[in-house]
Amino acid sequence: MAERISVMVPWLGAEESDALAEVVASGWVAQGPRVAEFEARFAEAMQAPFAVATSSCTTALQLALIVTGIGEGDDVVVPSLSFIATTNAVRYVGANPVFADVDPASGNMTGRTLAAAMTPATRAVIAVDQGGMPLDLDDIRAVADARSTVVIEDAACGAGSTYKGRPVGAGAEITAWSFHPRKVLTTGEGGMLTTRREDWAERARRLREHSMSISAADRHATVLAPAEEYTEVGFNFRMTDLQAAVGLVQLARLPEIVARRRAVAARYQAAIAPIAGLRAVADPAHGTSNFQSFWVEVGPEYPVDRDGLLVALAEADISARRGIMAAHRQPPYRALAPEEGLPATERLHDGTLILPVYHQLTDEDQDRVIAVLRSPGGDRR
Ligand SMILES: *Cc1c(COP(=O)(O)O)cnc(C)c1O
């Protein structure tokens, strides 16, 4: 019996274990020197002037909305086709999410779909590099800038993807990242905020640590700690040094992780191209994807529908996933679904599935997946 193939497996090893052991031996496990080092290295890698580590991408998005001044009464345009955290973050600050549709080729919001969703109360937009697919930031900015609307980039899935020759997020005013194990680079849980604005970075840095005027690490460095002040109502959105130590090892490996994912994706693309009724996600003209989610759209010419293909894969002990979720179909947000619907979002949500892609996936494993794609009704010789 062949082994089960998972949809995603993080690539962790002895280096991560050693880095963790060092932190434990140092006696400082909370937010401290390793978090600071991870921030510096991440900012450098993503070509962002400032980076602030957080407990998750969700909390990074919440901080991004706060520091950009978004709150009650404001509308924030988000794609419904995204993990629900993108929409939830808007609600956390008391603002109203407004759903935009996406381009069916990429799964991303575009200037056109953003323009169609803008309201007189729109003050911000959260644009997502969905599944690692780089969004066309210039196209989004052209619409947003004309209305003085802040663009927050949700690059939760985007580490290692590029836009016009630079890392995604590099050109944005403010970008949020995730290090959940389902993403390309992991710290177990964790997130990051990168930004071009020093004032936003400083406020986010304070807000994540109860809005304390002096960080715990700085107070610890002195025997007689200076008195701290709590400048506003803050949060505990800190990353630990244990997580950051793992993140530093993972970040150094990012080019290798992405190269392997892209090789696996290219092999799938070549195999899928001749199969009638299947369409595989592909790089857009303006960038390269890390293929955090390698999705395939199942069309009417294919012998089975999307759910039928998921069952065929499961019968071969291959774990695939339904396509990216649509937030406007979930209970908290059903009332916000636009009357005319979100046709491209619904089409991709209903018609796509995500195939296994991870570093350790072998050609033999991948051939098992491809055999099912070629013959979902059986006869997989
Ligand atoms: C995973 C994900 C998030 C949430 O990330 P966490 O680190 O788990 O909070 C937010 N947005 C998008 C687009 C995601 O894929």
Side-chain angles (χ1 to χ4, degrees), residues 80-321:
S80 167
L81 192 81
S82 182
F83 184 61
I84 199 161
T86 309
T87 305
N88 285 344
V90 177
R91 275 282 168 84
Y92 297 159
V93 301
N96 315 307
V98 178
F99 291 122
D101 207 359
V102 293
D103 164 31
S106 67
N108 281 340
M109 189 195 284
T110 64
R112 186 183 55 78
T113 67
L114 167 61
M118 292 277 255
T119 67
T122 300
R123 298 260 333 277
V125 43
I126 303 181
V128 181
D129 298 292
Q130 192 52 70
M133 174 65 56
L135 61 92
D136 190 346
L137 186 65
D138 291 344
D139 183 37
I140 302 260
R141 289 289 292 267
V143 175
D145 288 356
R147 298 266 307 270
S148 305
T149 301
V150 175
V151 178
I152 296 167
E153 189 164 343
D154 179 347
C157 310
S161 297
T162 65
Y163 175 60
K164 296 188 176 173
R166 297 176 69 196
V168 297
E173 295 153 274
I174 190 158
T175 306
W177 309 81
S178 173
F179 307 126
H180 182 272
R182 179 69 184 78
K183 319 298 181 180
V184 168
L185 184 164
T186 190
T187 60
E189 291 279 0
M192 192 77 80
L193 201 60
T194 54
T195 177
R196 289 204 298 244
R197 293 247 323 234
E198 188 168 15
D199 55 335
W200 288 353
E202 269 178 18
R203 187 160 171 226
R205 206 178 293 288
R206 240 182 301 121
L207 281 170
R208 75 163 169 197
E209 192 173 15
H210 308 290
S211 215
M212 241 192 288
S213 57
I214 306 159
S215 77
D218 286 347
R219 274 192 303 147
H220 187 78
T222 58
V223 181
L224 177 61
E228 74 279 12
E229 193 181 13
Y230 298 83
T231 55
E232 60 183 311
V233 178
F235 306 89
N236 178 358
F237 289 166
R238 285 176 297 216
M239 178 184 275
T240 68
D241 262 25
L242 291 161
Q243 292 164 301
V246 172
L248 281 162
V249 175
Q250 290 262 301
L251 183 62
R253 280 200 187 147
L254 183 62
E256 204 185 332
I257 294 174
V258 172
R260 177 70 195 134
R261 296 188 70 84
R262 287 184 58 78
V264 173
R267 211 159 168 272
Y268 273 137
Q269 284 163 336
I272 289 166
I275 303 176
L278 288 189
R279 174 177 74 96
V281 64
D283 283 335
H286 57 248
T288 59
S289 178
N290 61 12
F291 295 109
Q292 183 270 341
S293 286
F294 186 88
W295 53 260
V296 172
E297 184 174 14
V298 182
E301 290 161 77
Y302 196 68
V304 296
D305 63 8
R306 190 273 310 268
D307 288 350
L309 181 51
L310 276 170
V311 169
L313 287 162
E315 279 169 359
D317 221 5
I318 297 161
S319 177
R321 289 281 180 276

